[in-house]
Amino acid sequence: MSLFGAIAAGITGLDGNSQALASISANISNLNTVGYKRNETRFQSLVSPGAGGFGQPTGALPVVRNLIDQQGLMQTSSTSTHLGISGDGFFVVADINNPTNTTGTFQFTRAGQFEADKDGNLVNSGGFFLRGWEIDPTTGKITDDRGSLTATSTVNVADIAGTATITSNVALDMNLNSEEVVTSSPTLATVFAADTGKTISATSNLDGTDLAAGSRLANNDAITVTTTQTNLAGGFVAQTSSAQTFTFNTAPNAASGTFRTLNQLAALINSKDGMTASVNAGVLTLTGDAHSTIVHTEANNGERIFGAAATQAQTYLATASATNMASGNITPSFKRSVQIFDSKGAAHTLSFAFLKSNFSNTYYTEVFMEPAGDTNLAVVDGIIAHGRMRFNADGTIDLGLTDPSLRGSANAGTDLVINYSTAVGATTPQTITLDIGTNGKSDGISQFASASSLDEFTVDGAIFGKLASISVSDLGVITALFDNGTSRDLYKLPIATFTNENGLEVSDKNTFLQTTTSGAFNLKEAGDGAGNVSPASFESSTVDLADEFTEMIITQQAFSANGKVVSVGTELLDE
């Protein structure tokens, strides 16, 4: 190498280390720049052809390398829309609000300090608009076009109308006491008269002298009692006790249905479904079923037991105000209410009333609105459904025997339908699916020997709510949260990945542009081949000040050494 070559080589060293110092300076100046990726200067040797065909080094060529693929530390933020990316990928941004294929520029960034501008658009500190896939409010899905930047939209969190959610599902978890006392049912009372100065007790022989002569029974005096459900909605098959005959005999035998005392007659009656009996002060009272008639006939002198043959009418009928629970004229065995919401978010009271049947494992049920004026087209008194709730012997729900009006469309029944009155002015009809549990399981309404209770209920829907805040998930889903407890997914952020991130072109304001070296962008969902979004945080600069100071010292020494080479070469030329 000639003297001139030595000076030239030294000059390339000065130039290269100047650029290295420039990189160090840029890094240090961006120490606190969110999402900044440091760069470094590397050197390549310059070689010129020499004598004999051998190359001869003639200096150094500086090459600036951007270390874009380095991960910066995450810092927390109190702003939910400050975002970072843990892993590979970049946020998609644009320099204008509504870019197209011909206007505006799509760019990529890790600088995620996004905040709403005056129009509600999420913009970072560089003024770039965040882009996202819109989520269909009906299907909850995003576009199938994942390869086009124009398929994204500027994320806007301002024009989000408040929302009210209509109730469409009600689930009940409750127990109805299997040992509940049967009330509000038709009854029969014995009409035995005591002899003069005597009293009749539960153990008196009904052919004995405790009874007046005209009240005493003889063998084969009998009564036949039948309780049968009547006026069932929809013509469903009635439960019936069938004709039960009880016969007096001085040698009573329970197996053959004979009795001699009131206690023995009561035991026979209590062994039959649909009727019960109790004895008090020498009088036996037979209680039937509220939704059933009691028909009794006599044989021989059987009329001495309950009097002449007659029919006792049912005392409970849901379709009549005088005999239903919704009106308050019949006291339910158990009643509870839940709050539901109409299409405007207005709250209404939906009540469930239950009346213990004398038929085993059966409760009469009414579902009604309170006040009744909230609905029209109801059966009566705001009732929108009524029927029998049936249970298995182990206390679990029997959906097969429960009337269709109560078991819902999912179990071959019908859903609840509310037709609101004109005064309410809500969307009508409103259909509600009632979940009373799984057939043969106790995961809904059950009937065990414990106090009736509503343990838990689930009602969807909500009153009108205003936008309260915006949240972002680690999968990049931007969600509007309302003050009524509801939420709505708005956007899903695409994460752009590249085969060679370090090949991206560094642009102004901490953004990057695609190049042939980086390869084409690939839009992915967060967590699916790309990094996860870190909400309420941002990625700090990848600059390490200690490393930069070290590089600065090395660069300073290299610059000084190359300067010395140039100085010495110049002095030698002067000689």
Side-chain angles (χ1 to χ4, degrees):
M1 177 186 293
S2 67
L3 191 56
F4 287 106
I7 294 173
I11 291 174
T12 63
L14 290 172
D15 179 63
N17 283 283
S18 295
Q19 292 195 38
L21 185 60
S23 293
I24 295 169
S25 175
N27 289 340
I28 294 175
S29 66
N30 284 284
L31 178 64
N32 294 316
T33 301
V34 174
Y36 177 78
K37 303 298 181 179
R38 66 180 295 269
N39 65 81
E40 63 181 14
T41 301
R42 295 181 179 180
F43 295 90
Q44 299 176 356
S45 60
L46 290 174
V47 179
S48 297
F54 294 101
Q56 187 175 17
T58 57
L61 176 67
V63 177
V64 178
R65 182 172 181 267
N66 296 306
L67 305 177
I68 301 172
D69 61 352
Q70 290 188 350
Q71 175 75 51
L73 295 176
M74 289 295 171
Q75 297 186 35
T76 59
S77 169
S78 59
T79 303
S80 64
T81 54
H82 284 182
L83 310 174
I85 298 176
S86 295
D88 296 334
F90 301 82
F91 296 114
V92 179
V93 294
D95 57 353
I96 61 174
N97 182 15
N98 294 303
T100 65
N101 289 325
T102 57
T103 61
T105 303
F106 289 100
Q107 293 171 266
F108 309 95
T109 189
R110 301 271 292 201
Q113 285 182 305
F114 295 103
E115 296 181 10
D117 65 7
K118 63 181 180 63
D119 298 315
N121 300 311
L122 291 190
V123 182
N124 68 8
S125 55
F128 288 90
F129 296 85
L130 179 63
R131 305 287 292 182
W133 291 308
E134 291 188 35
I135 297 177
D136 188 299
T138 302
T139 65
K141 297 181 179 180
I142 59 176
T143 177
D144 291 328
D145 182 2
R146 310 291 176 84
S148 172
L149 292 172
T150 55
T152 63
S153 304
T154 294
V155 175
N156 185 285
V157 295
D159 297 327
I160 303 173
T163 180
T165 306
I166 191 170
T167 296
S168 57
N169 293 280
V170 173
L172 301 177
D173 182 359
M174 66 165 57
N175 181 65
L176 299 175
N177 189 358
S178 62
E179 297 183 346
E180 185 73 38
V181 175
V182 174
T183 60
S184 303
S185 298
T187 59
L188 291 173
T190 53
V191 293
F192 296 114
D195 200 2
T196 303
K198 303 288 183 70
T199 59
I200 302 173
S201 71
T203 57
S204 297
N205 290 328
L206 298 179
D207 60 336
T209 58
D210 287 345
L211 278 70
S215 288
R216 297 171 189 169
L217 299 180
N219 287 345
N220 297 320
D221 288 345
I223 56 167
T224 299
V225 181
T226 306
T227 57
T228 305
Q229 291 171 338
T230 59
N231 299 309
L232 292 177
F236 300 119
V237 177
Q239 293 166 275
T240 179
S241 67
S242 71
Q244 302 296 328
T245 299
F246 307 105
T247 304
F248 177 82
N249 195 288
T250 56
N253 184 339
S256 59
T258 58
F259 65 94
R260 193 178 187 185
T261 68
L262 291 178
N263 271 352
Q264 292 168 350
L265 177 57
L268 291 175
I269 293 173
N270 286 329
S271 69
K272 308 301 180 182
D273 199 19
M275 60 184 78
T276 55
S278 60
V279 180
N280 184 34
V283 176
L284 179 149
T285 301
L286 182 151
T287 300
D289 175 71
H291 211 319
S292 306
T293 58
I294 301 178
V295 177
H296 70 97
T297 58
E298 291 75 30
N300 301 321
N301 287 321
E303 74 275 0
R304 293 180 178 181
I305 302 173
F306 288 122
T311 298
Q312 303 293 110
Q314 67 184 86
T315 52
Y316 168 74
L317 182 61
T319 56
S321 292
T323 54
N324 67 26
M325 293 180 281
S327 66
N329 288 319
I330 295 293
T331 301
S333 304
F334 185 66
K335 175 187 174 184
R336 286 295 183 268
S337 301
V338 299
Q339 191 175 66
I340 62 171
F341 304 93
D342 64 24
S343 59
K344 297 189 295 185
H348 301 272
T349 298
L350 183 66
S351 295
F352 298 83
F354 304 90
L355 182 65
K356 185 74 166 68
S357 168
N358 224 340
F359 286 100
S360 59
N361 304 319
T362 301
Y363 265 89
Y364 297 113
T365 305
E366 294 177 15
V367 185
F368 52 95
M369 300 289 290
E370 292 187 290
D374 280 359
T375 178
N376 56 25
L377 302 181
V379 175
V380 67
D381 300 314
I383 296 175
I384 60 172
H386 62 92
R388 293 167 297 178
M389 198 82 71
R390 304 284 294 278
F391 300 90
N392 297 305
D394 62 0
T396 60
I397 190 72
D398 186 339
L399 293 179
L401 291 180
T402 293
D403 288 341
S405 57
L406 300 174
R407 64 187 185 216
S409 58
N411 295 296
T414 57
D415 293 326
L416 304 178
V417 177
I418 301 172
N419 291 279
Y420 287 108
S421 63
T422 303
V424 172
T427 299
T428 191
Q430 177 177 345
T431 300
I432 297 177
T433 299
L434 178 62
D435 181 1
I436 59 175
T438 307
N439 189 45
K441 295 185 177 181
S442 57
D443 56 357
I445 300 181
S446 58
Q447 185 198 230
F448 296 114
S450 61
S452 296
S453 63
L454 176 59
D455 300 318
E456 187 177 350
F457 65 90
T458 303
V459 179
D460 61 5
I463 61 174
F464 178 82
K466 296 179 181 178
L467 179 65
S469 62
I470 297 293
S471 73
V472 185
S473 74
D474 60 354
L475 296 180
V477 177
I478 297 178
T479 302
L481 305 178
F482 299 92
D483 61 7
N484 60 0
T486 62
S487 62
R488 186 196 312 161
D489 293 337
L490 306 175
Y491 301 90
K492 190 164 193 177
L493 299 179
I495 305 298
T497 61
F498 297 86
T499 304
N500 177 23
E501 293 183 351
N502 291 335
L504 291 168
E505 177 186 339
V506 178
S507 185
D508 289 337
K509 300 178 181 178
N510 216 14
T511 60
F512 304 95
L513 297 173
Q514 176 180 298
T515 67
T516 56
T517 305
S518 68
F521 67 83
N522 187 0
L523 299 184
K524 298 180 179 180
E525 297 182 47
D528 186 10
N532 287 324
V533 175
S534 295
S537 62
F538 54 86
E539 185 179 1
S540 61
S541 169
T542 58
V543 174
D544 185 305
L545 194 56
D547 289 343
E548 299 303 325
F549 281 162
T550 301
E551 290 295 328
M552 186 186 302
I553 293 171
I554 295 172
T555 301
Q556 180 185 15
Q557 291 175 340
F559 188 91
S560 296
N562 281 281
K564 189 66 174 178
V565 170
V566 173
S567 176
V568 171
T570 302
E571 290 176 2
L572 290 175
L573 283 176
D574 290 341
E575 295 179 0

